[in-house]
Amino acid sequence: RGEYPGINLRVEVTNWQLLLKRLREEDIEFYVADTAELPADPSLESRPLQRLPGGFYVRAGHPLAGAASVRLEEAWRYGALAIRVPSSIRSIIARMLGMSSADELTVALECDDANLLTRVALESDSVLVSAHAAVAAEVAAGRLKLLQIQDLPMLQAQAGVVTLRGRTPSPMAELIISRLPLINE
């Protein structure tokens, strides 16, 4: 806003399926989301962002906050908070919890708003599953603690910028996209 005081933007926070529908209807110019489950479609273009590692977080006073490491089962009992978990990550978590299928995995609170999930984690004993970047300020301030989950492989979102192929974005959309941490292709 400091550089371009006359601009007006609209930001929507929702899941990638609804954003894809809005993109196809040309109600939005682009969206940023995990693209792991994006359907193969020649009308879409996806530009990958740098990988976003994630983890499990609890409020500073949480019963597990002081533990050197915890088993996933211990953390999951408190109730998991997460945005819509991609199927690849759901499978890893379900397998670690001894479930025969990712379909058995339940999340205590699933919400498309990462800030709302963070607020819930700060005021409850629920465990937040989040990208590190989304909670960096809360961790730096000491309000959230990263749990060290035993035997947990690195979890990473495959985020990208999704646009309609062949469409020229507005100058403002192109400026915003250019400031995202894109992987140079």
Side-chain angles (χ1 to χ4, degrees):
R1 189 87 179 146
E3 289 177 64
Y4 302 95
I7 68 164
N8 296 299
L9 302 172
R10 176 169 166 64
V11 175
E12 291 190 37
V13 177
T14 190
N15 65 70
W16 72 266
Q17 291 96 337
L18 293 176
L19 291 170
L20 178 57
K21 179 180 184 299
R22 303 243 320 130
L23 181 70
R24 285 186 168 139
E25 293 170 350
E26 298 188 29
D27 289 332
I28 59 175
E29 291 188 72
F30 70 94
Y31 70 87
V32 176
D34 189 303
T35 57
E37 297 174 0
L38 186 68
D41 182 337
S43 71
L44 300 176
E45 182 176 341
S46 176
R47 295 190 285 185
L49 294 172
Q50 294 172 3
R51 292 281 184 149
L52 298 173
F56 290 72
Y57 296 86
V58 295
R59 65 179 174 78
H62 191 282
L64 298 177
S69 70
V70 299
R71 291 184 349 271
L72 181 59
E73 297 85 6
E74 290 175 272
W76 206 260
R77 271 187 236 131
Y78 285 92
L81 311 170
I83 60 169
R84 189 172 298 199
V85 181
S87 60
S88 59
I89 294 175
R90 288 183 78 83
S91 294
I92 292 168
I93 293 171
R95 187 172 50 254
M96 288 185 68
L97 291 172
M99 297 174 182
S100 59
S101 165
D103 295 334
E104 295 177 46
L105 187 68
T106 58
V107 176
L109 175 60
E110 185 176 78
C111 176
D112 295 320
D113 186 338
N115 291 322
L116 175 64
L117 292 171
T118 300
R119 288 196 311 269
V120 172
L122 289 168
E123 297 187 18
S124 72
D125 280 345
S126 295
V127 176
L128 175 62
V129 182
S130 175
H132 295 318
V135 295
E138 296 295 343
V139 171
R143 291 185 288 269
L144 282 180
K145 303 289 183 188
L146 174 64
L147 290 178
Q148 297 303 316
I149 305 290
Q150 296 169 10
D151 302 319
L152 183 69
M154 180 178 286
L155 302 178
Q156 295 187 53
Q158 298 175 24
V161 178
V162 181
T163 58
L164 290 174
R165 188 175 307 281
R167 299 289 198 288
T168 303
S170 69
M172 190 51 58
E174 195 56 53
L175 175 68
I176 293 168
I177 292 169
S178 75
R179 294 193 176 180
L180 295 172
L182 293 166
I183 294 175
N184 294 330
E185 298 176 287

